[in-house]
Amino acid sequence: MIDNKFTVIDSHCHIYPEKIAKPAVQSTGRFYDMTALGDGTVTSLLSIGEKAGIDRFVVQSVATTPHQVKSINEFIASEVASFPDKLIGLGTMHPESEDLKADLLHLKELGLHGVKLHADIQKFKIDDYRCLKIYELCEKENVPILMHTGDYRFDYSNPDHLVPVLKEFKNLTVIGAHLGGWSVWDEASEKLSGFENFYVDTSSSLYELSKEKAVGIIRRYGTDRVLFGSDYPVFSPDIELKRFLDLPLTDSEKQAILSENVIKLYNL
């Protein structure tokens, strides 16, 4: 049992329908050469959360092809409807969709609070011209984008591709997963921390960084622009919460990162 006195929202969790959860989780594990700790189902996520004292979860999935967008968004919305006090949903979009505006309006009608993009898995560079319409629409509709950022193995999602987007779409809110750049944390924080419209989450990062390094990066972005996230099911929310609580941050900084910032960002 975690000694947790804070209100906690895990802002980065992936969930899948039970019939495809196992292969989906295995595929993600292979992609990152890691053994996933969770099974990708809502049931397991809520069970872990109850034991760890995690109050709510922001859940999402990624469309690898345009035709998956509608079904994924409707699945996420249905799970949120089943557990409205526990789940906050994000939709997905795909840059090759025939009607991006319709996709965005549909996910808003479903009550989803943002868009999840994963350039490495969806195979586009963040500043690819095909994505500009997504950014334009999300900026106009005031819909935040949670975006996978960083990977030393690929060039799709690294900081140099995000900088021009943040400069061009100044009113677009972007959350860079993995402290702004998985596996390229220092480079990301140096290049991205100055943008007021850019936030980060802690997912898939604390396992690799020393406590001092993690706190240094968090404070470089600003504790008002950092969200707690686990990246379930690759990582387990209870373990990631313990890692976060062990960081030498003040209680007020921890509470902001654990829930206050995500409440403000998604207007919960």
Side-chain angles (χ1 to χ4, degrees):
M1 193 72 178
I2 296 173
D3 182 15
N4 171 31
K5 59 185 178 181
F6 301 99
T7 299
V8 180
I9 301 175
D10 184 341
S11 67
H12 194 132
C13 299
H14 300 268
I15 58 170
Y16 311 97
E18 291 200 11
K19 64 181 180 180
I20 67 163
K22 184 175 181 179
V25 172
Q26 290 175 338
S27 176
T28 302
R30 286 193 298 270
F31 187 82
Y32 288 106
D33 194 24
M34 295 180 180
T35 300
L37 299 182
D39 67 10
T41 66
V42 169
T43 302
S44 292
L45 178 63
L46 295 178
S47 177
I48 294 168
E50 184 176 358
K51 294 175 184 176
I54 299 174
D55 299 279
R56 301 180 77 184
F57 301 88
V58 179
V59 293
Q60 68 232 223
S61 191
V62 176
T64 57
T65 62
H67 80 268
Q68 293 177 337
V69 170
K70 184 175 184 287
S71 61
I72 287 175
N73 291 343
E74 290 178 350
F75 163 71
I76 296 293
S78 70
E79 294 297 275
V80 172
S82 297
F83 303 98
D85 296 330
K86 289 293 183 181
L87 302 182
I88 302 148
L90 304 183
T92 187
M93 297 180 72
H94 195 286
E96 295 179 357
S97 172
E98 293 182 358
D99 196 337
L100 290 168
K101 183 175 181 179
D103 291 342
L104 182 61
L105 293 178
H106 183 233
L107 73 84
K108 287 188 68 179
E109 290 169 0
L110 291 170
L112 303 177
H113 288 267
V115 170
K116 172 62 187 288
L117 299 177
H118 196 310
D120 294 347
I121 288 177
Q122 294 176 304
K123 297 191 184 307
F124 61 83
K125 292 182 179 179
I126 287 176
D127 55 355
D128 189 303
Y129 74 94
R130 295 173 297 171
C131 302
L132 301 184
K133 187 63 175 180
I134 294 177
Y135 306 145
E136 178 186 329
L137 288 166
C138 288
E139 182 180 52
K140 180 180 179 181
E141 296 291 333
N142 195 29
V143 176
I145 296 177
L146 171 59
M147 184 181 294
H148 171 90
T149 45
D151 195 319
Y152 71 95
R153 303 169 301 171
F154 309 110
D155 189 40
Y156 296 114
S157 64
N158 285 319
D160 286 341
H161 294 297
L162 182 53
V163 167
V165 173
L166 295 173
K167 287 182 177 179
E168 179 66 23
F169 299 94
K170 293 184 173 63
N171 294 315
L172 172 67
T173 298
V174 176
I175 306 103
H178 323 313
L179 286 177
W182 180 74
S183 73
V184 291
W185 292 284
D186 285 322
E187 176 190 357
S189 64
E190 290 168 4
K191 293 181 177 179
L192 302 173
S193 59
F195 291 97
E196 294 183 0
N197 56 332
F198 186 63
Y199 295 72
V200 298
D201 71 36
T202 65
S203 65
S204 294
S205 298
L206 302 182
Y207 76 102
E208 180 70 19
L209 301 171
S210 69
K211 294 178 184 179
E212 294 73 20
K213 172 70 76 173
V215 168
I217 291 173
I218 287 170
R219 288 190 170 142
R220 182 177 291 165
Y221 285 113
T223 54
D224 60 335
R225 291 195 287 134
V226 179
L227 316 178
F228 168 72
S230 68
D231 214 357
Y232 171 88
V234 174
F235 291 89
S236 186
D238 54 346
I239 295 172
E240 295 311 299
L241 179 57
K242 177 66 166 59
R243 283 178 171 142
F244 177 79
L245 292 173
D246 284 343
L247 295 178
L249 294 163
T250 68
D251 280 0
S252 61
E253 288 174 323
K254 288 179 179 177
Q255 187 59 84
I257 293 168
L258 287 169
S259 62
E260 291 173 356
N261 295 339
V262 72
I263 288 170
K264 288 185 290 186
L265 194 151
Y266 289 122
N267 195 29
L268 301 178

